[in-house]
Amino acid sequence: MVGRRPPEQPSVAIVTDSTASLPEGAAERWGIGVVPLDVVVDGERHVEGVDLAPSELLEALTAGAKVSTSQPPPAAFAAAYARAAASGATEIVSLHLSGELSGTVRAARLAAESASVPVHVVDSRAVAMALGFAVLDAARFSVGPSEAGAPAPSAGPLGSARSWWRGRGRAAPGLPSGTDVAEHGRAVAESARVWFLVDSLDHLRRGGRLSMSAAAIGIVLGLRPILALQDGGIDVVEKVRTRRAARDRLVALAVEDVARRPAARVAVHHLGQPDLANALAAELTAATGAQIVEVAVCESSAVLAAHAGPGLLAIVVAG
């Protein structure tokens, strides 16, 4: 999960879990270790990102399969931390989905107690690219501060920022500590907002992620609720009559939030609806102009899809 780092790369390694739903290739590009969660389909255990794709899970959900998820054991995190240390990391920052939604962060903390190097475990109180943006920013920040008025590159291998500093005729500055990187990642996660739609609230209710009273809005009343991640948990924030109206309101909420930021990054998550997700991303970009500095369209992780069910559409806005 964490590849061997060249000697001049940062000594702070970044680890996360598969619910971060990172864009394809981002983990490899930034040397981020990703510990996968498990998805159990009709009693058969699958490892997310290894032998189960979101599209395959969508087929299972559509067919009425019984689906559940399982957090990684502490041993999985211990192995990721050991690989990072063996690759030269002197500290590790481990950022994970909200402890309100999963015991994943607790498993990471247990593993951290016996790691050979200090591990800073962060409960992001977020999920999907709200966590993903925090993870990517932590990786970028670990490379070192950027020169005033000229930010370090936001893509490319971890070593590229070092080359960038050399190319500007100066040595790379001192690198931040693991504590600094962890706090930076936490701050990014806290700044993020997440809104989403699903076809049915029953999956969230059965998984214990939404109360029966909240789920009744859609199940009994037939309304299309807009859900949000708030204080680490899931809440219904608005109720509309049709899915089209819900999509429009989803975009409007994101546009309003982007307008309050000097610069914003946006992610649109979907489950088997790439054309719709790309259309929403284009609509957001057109409505906000230069305020959006980065847009990612990512299929939801299989674990998130298992709890949200078919029809998942989500928008994440981060600073």
Side-chain angles (χ1 to χ4, degrees):
M1 292 180 189
V2 178
R4 182 167 296 278
R5 295 166 176 248
E8 62 179 14
Q9 289 185 341
S11 60
V12 177
I14 309 298
V15 173
T16 189
D17 59 74
S18 54
T19 67
S21 302
L22 294 171
E24 185 176 354
E28 293 78 9
R29 187 180 310 127
W30 285 98
I32 297 165
V34 180
V35 178
L37 277 71
D38 289 348
V39 181
V40 181
V41 180
D42 283 339
E44 184 177 350
R45 187 172 297 274
H46 300 269
V47 180
E48 179 171 29
V50 177
D51 62 353
L52 182 69
S55 58
E56 294 171 316
L57 180 63
L58 177 59
E59 291 179 8
L61 290 169
T62 304
K66 184 178 180 180
V67 177
S68 61
T69 62
S70 176
Q71 69 199 45
F77 290 102
Y81 300 156
R83 282 191 289 272
S87 297
T90 55
E91 291 184 87
I92 297 168
V93 173
S94 198
L95 302 104
H96 300 289
L97 81 156
S98 174
E100 297 289 327
L101 302 176
S102 170
T104 298
V105 73
R106 292 194 295 274
R109 285 176 177 145
L110 284 172
E113 293 176 0
S114 58
S116 61
V117 298
V119 180
H120 308 268
V121 179
V122 177
D123 180 350
S124 71
R125 300 185 66 77
V127 74
M129 275 297 287
L131 167 60
F133 281 130
V135 169
L136 291 172
D137 264 25
R140 293 164 182 165
F141 186 74
S142 72
V143 174
S146 60
E147 188 174 33
S154 58
L158 277 169
S160 65
R162 291 286 190 135
S163 301
W164 177 83
W165 281 106
R166 288 196 299 271
R168 297 182 68 84
R170 58 178 294 181
L175 297 175
S177 68
T179 298
D180 292 337
V181 174
E183 287 308 309
H184 183 79
R186 190 193 310 274
V188 173
E190 288 176 354
S191 82
R193 297 293 307 277
V194 182
W195 302 272
F196 64 102
L197 307 173
V198 292
D199 281 347
S200 170
L201 296 178
D202 202 39
H203 293 279
L204 288 167
R205 180 193 62 78
R206 283 188 281 128
R209 271 66 181 183
L210 193 66
S211 68
M212 174 61 82
S213 60
I217 292 170
I219 297 171
V220 178
L221 302 181
L223 297 176
R224 294 285 186 175
I226 295 175
L227 302 117
L229 190 68
Q230 298 187 150
D231 297 324
I234 296 172
D235 289 320
V236 175
V237 292
E238 293 196 14
K239 303 176 284 291
V240 293
R241 290 288 177 186
T242 67
R243 184 167 178 87
R244 178 53 195 248
R247 290 176 191 165
D248 291 344
R249 186 58 186 147
L250 190 71
V251 172
L253 286 167
V255 169
E256 291 168 9
D257 189 77
V258 168
R260 291 191 287 266
R261 303 174 188 259
R265 290 164 299 161
V266 170
V268 180
H269 291 291
H270 67 94
L271 181 58
Q273 303 176 88
D275 292 342
L276 178 56
N278 279 302
L280 290 184
E283 188 176 344
L284 278 165
T285 302
T288 56
Q291 280 176 284
I292 295 182
V293 298
E294 180 180 351
V295 179
V297 176
C298 318
E299 193 156 35
S300 165
S301 78
V303 167
L304 300 183
H307 289 291
L312 172 65
L313 274 176
I315 297 178
V316 178
V317 179

